[in-house]
Amino acid sequence: GSDVDIARAADQFGIPWPVGPASSSIKGDYGVSVLPTTIFIDRSGALHGRHVGQLSYTVLVAAMPR
């Protein structure tokens, strides 16, 4: 969806971290070939991991960089 759709969905589901669309530049930069793919990036911009496919909230929160 659009940036507005994504922001609305994140708000609706109470997601406090940044989310964004899978633009072709983001897909290329992070090697994303399948959606959904979740990329874990810390505050300094370092890549901490990638998960391909759907994942549960519990697994998502546990995998978030501290």
Side-chain angles (χ1 to χ4, degrees):
S2 70
D3 289 347
V4 172
D5 293 336
I6 292 168
R8 188 176 296 132
D11 208 32
Q12 176 184 353
F13 290 104
I15 298 171
W17 50 83
V19 295
S23 68
S24 57
S25 64
I26 290 173
K27 287 192 260 184
D29 290 347
Y30 294 101
V32 175
S33 60
V34 176
L35 297 177
T37 296
T38 303
I39 307 294
F40 298 96
I41 303 169
D42 70 14
R43 293 175 195 258
S44 69
L47 178 65
H48 280 268
R50 171 188 6 239
H51 181 87
V52 177
Q54 189 173 9
L55 70 159
S56 71
Y57 180 81
T58 304
V59 172
L60 176 65
V61 171
M64 301 272 294
R66 306 275 186 257

